[in-house]
Amino acid sequence: MTAAMARASSGLAYPQRFYAAATYAGFDGSPSAVNSISSRFKSDTALLLYALYQQATVGPCSGPKPSAWNAVEQSKWKSWQGLGDMASTEAMRLFVKILEEEQPGWYSRASNFVSTSVTDMQTNHVSKADPAENGNSFLEAKTISTENGSFEETHDKDVVLEGLGAVAIYDQWIAPTTSGQRPKARYEHGAAVIEDKMYICGGNHNGRYLSDLHVLDMRSWTWSKIDAKVEVEAESQESSPASLTSCAGHSLIPWENKLLSIAGHRKDPSETMEVKAFDLRTFTWSTLKTYGKAPVSRGGQSATLVGTSIVVFGGQNTKRTLLNDLHILDLETMTWDEIDAIGLPPSPRSDHTAAVQADRYLLIFGGGSHATCFNDLHVLDLQAMEWTRPTQQGDIPSARAGHAGVTVGENWFIVGGGDNKSGVSETVVLNMSTLVWSVVTSVQGRVPVASEGLTLAVSSHSGEDILVSFGGYNGRYNNEVNVLKPSHKSTLRSKIVETPVPDSVSAVHNATNGTRDPESEFEVGQEGKIREIVMDNADIEPMQKSRARGSRENIIATLKAENEELESSLNKEKLQNLQLKTELAEADTRNTDLYKELQSVRGQLASEQSRCFKLEVDVAELRQKLQTMETLEKELELLQRQKAASEQAALNAKQRQGSGGVWGWLAGTPDNLKENDA
């Protein structure tokens, strides 16, 4: 019965399909319509459905603006007014699409009253231009608590999870139900997607390196483990048999029909970086022979596929030394080349992320050292081989390391990571053309997407891109899969209508994130503005093509104006960059002069220190001579005293001798006898 009704719904033509949806939603003018609409939808979704219903049944809004004191009626009027001249048939299709995304099983739950109500609704409908007198009313719109412009609360509770059917909501992480045996919880593993299959390889669990290989079939969301083989005989001289050594912090890159495992921390590391390949046809591992000077062994590096080359930057070697060197591996010749780029490179780091834009510019964001984490952005021009550090704009992310990133078009999505204190809760996106950051969504609590060492890959579901994360560590090891469908599909920013709404009214944020589609998109940010983006659709009806053509012309005119503005801004940035380079060159010159002057002063100081030392030696010698002179003076004084004593004694003896001669003369001693005696 349900299947039959679903087939009837899918086969129901317009406008009957629209009236059936409107009846189910409660837009039938009955007294119970208020309770029906308010109970089934959040206020912002109901506001958008009301505007589309009025546009489809009445036409463009032409009634007067309600008074400012009636915030609800004013919000309804502005929502309707914001649709402009949208065709009624397109409004019908959007109304049904929103309802189907909000409540996928609406037709099967509508029971038998739908078919009869469709006729009654078409017969009894009365058009009313004034939104305040339309016979439908809503409860007062409530303000939805947001953080960084993203919804925190759970969306439509009536959505039934069937496989990945719940990914009708944009910009919100969900955990799809998977079957099969999950891989062991881990972080710092490698992940890659090839043909709707995500391969998980290696990693770290409780300090132990892993070597297992698992695959998640994202068509059935089934896990399975791959029993890898070792080649008995090498197929060519370019490879040799090997098994994947247990490792973590490596890079897993899809290349043709192989998975390339590059670098990584190992228990017994090699001296240089190894490249191993897993053949998806034979399920065998082999070590690829490389030429040139291979980089030293490391982990936590970034390895980015650019055309037919892999660009490796940074990481941490086996001695825990952080690196900021740059190497390129040519996959056609398997030759390593060490690059000495000009400009100021990023500081040594590991656990950062890298992305390539237009196959020319390599972007490096975040990472960490032993003491701190970074949130800087560096760009390497792969043609000029020159590093620059551009100015970031928008909601610049906080410092982090161990995060994961993936590109969708020109949008670079970053999720997870940490700052040595806690995990990062925001999922952010960088427009690589404008270098403007914005917050996609924010999670609360200790959840897997707020982990370090997780992986992020991009796949597709129902023709739309989806982001798939796995693993990570946030106090515990994770092995969960989480999926997000981003609304950032292109870098085009078309603003057809932009009108403010009262602060007291809940903003229509991407139509509850369920109304984003290639036909129309309504978005309200924190500024409280409603934006309508109307795009061309391949299956648009002939009667709408003329209107769509006018919309395209408006879009082209808007894009040209924005392009001119961006070119003007780019020229200003180039001029500012040139001025900064000139100032930097002058600063380098001053720094060189100061360094030379410092060296000269250091030389003079060394010479003065040497002379001072010699003077100190001379003073010591003089002091020693002075002490010697004092000793000589004392000896001289002693000798003088001895000499005076001797002279005195001789004088006394002479005097005694003279007195003896007188007495002899008196005694009559002969003179000749005295002479003989003498």
Side-chain angles (χ1 to χ4, degrees), residues 323-592:
L323 307 170
N324 66 342
D325 52 348
L326 185 67
H327 302 264
I328 294 181
L329 174 64
D330 189 329
L331 294 176
E332 294 182 340
T333 63
M334 296 306 296
T335 302
W336 283 106
D337 187 13
E338 184 174 3
I339 306 300
D340 185 14
I342 60 178
L344 184 63
S347 59
R349 65 191 62 200
S350 66
D351 299 328
H352 52 278
T353 51
V356 64
Q357 197 262 342
D359 281 342
R360 176 173 177 176
Y361 301 101
L362 180 73
L363 285 73
I364 302 292
F365 172 74
S369 64
H370 297 310
T372 187
C373 296
F374 308 108
N375 67 339
D376 49 356
L377 178 67
H378 298 262
V379 177
L380 173 68
D381 188 333
L382 293 172
Q383 291 185 6
M385 287 301 170
E386 180 179 7
W387 285 106
T388 57
R389 185 174 178 180
T391 301
Q392 304 179 69
Q393 302 181 41
D395 299 322
I396 301 176
S398 58
R400 65 193 67 193
H403 47 289
V406 71
T407 58
V408 178
E410 295 200 348
N411 295 300
W412 188 16
F413 292 87
I414 303 290
V415 62
D419 57 359
N420 296 326
K421 297 178 182 178
S422 61
V424 178
S425 60
E426 297 88 10
T427 299
V428 296
V429 61
L430 172 69
N431 186 310
M432 293 187 290
S433 296
T434 61
L435 298 181
V436 176
W437 288 99
S438 58
V439 177
V440 178
T441 186
S442 180
V443 296
Q444 292 182 337
R446 186 171 290 181
V447 295
V449 293
S451 302
E452 296 184 31
L454 76 170
T455 54
L456 187 65
V458 62
S459 185
S460 62
H461 173 72
S462 300
E464 294 188 276
D465 296 314
I466 58 173
L467 309 183
V468 185
S469 73
F470 174 79
Y473 178 80
N474 58 359
R476 67 180 185 89
Y477 296 92
N478 299 303
N479 63 348
E480 296 181 12
V481 177
N482 286 273
V483 177
L484 180 142
K485 183 163 66 171
S487 60
H488 298 72
K489 293 179 176 60
S490 70
T491 58
L492 301 180
R493 296 190 218 168
S494 301
K495 300 178 183 178
I496 306 302
V497 177
E498 187 171 294
T499 53
V501 298
D503 295 336
S504 60
V505 180
S506 172
V508 181
H509 179 76
N510 304 328
T512 320
N513 290 332
T515 65
R516 295 177 180 258
D517 60 79
E519 297 177 331
S520 178
E521 178 175 328
F522 294 89
E523 178 182 5
V524 173
Q526 286 182 325
E527 301 86 1
K529 294 182 178 179
I530 301 176
R531 297 181 180 89
E532 176 196 345
I533 302 177
V534 182
M535 299 183 182
D536 184 27
N537 196 342
D539 62 348
I540 192 166
E541 298 179 2
M543 63 179 296
Q544 298 169 338
K545 287 187 177 180
S546 60
R547 295 180 183 270
R549 192 174 298 110
S551 298
R552 286 199 300 271
E553 292 175 357
N554 292 334
I555 292 174
I556 291 173
T558 303
L559 290 177
K560 285 183 178 179
E562 290 188 357
N563 186 37
E564 292 176 357
E565 183 179 354
L566 288 175
E567 288 181 353
S568 176
S569 300
L570 180 61
N571 292 331
K572 291 180 181 179
E573 290 295 333
K574 287 182 178 179
L575 180 60
Q576 184 179 4
N577 188 31
L578 181 61
Q579 293 176 349
L580 290 175
K581 285 184 177 180
T582 304
E583 293 177 0
L584 181 60
E586 293 176 354
D588 288 339
T589 302
R590 289 196 299 269
N591 186 35
T592 302

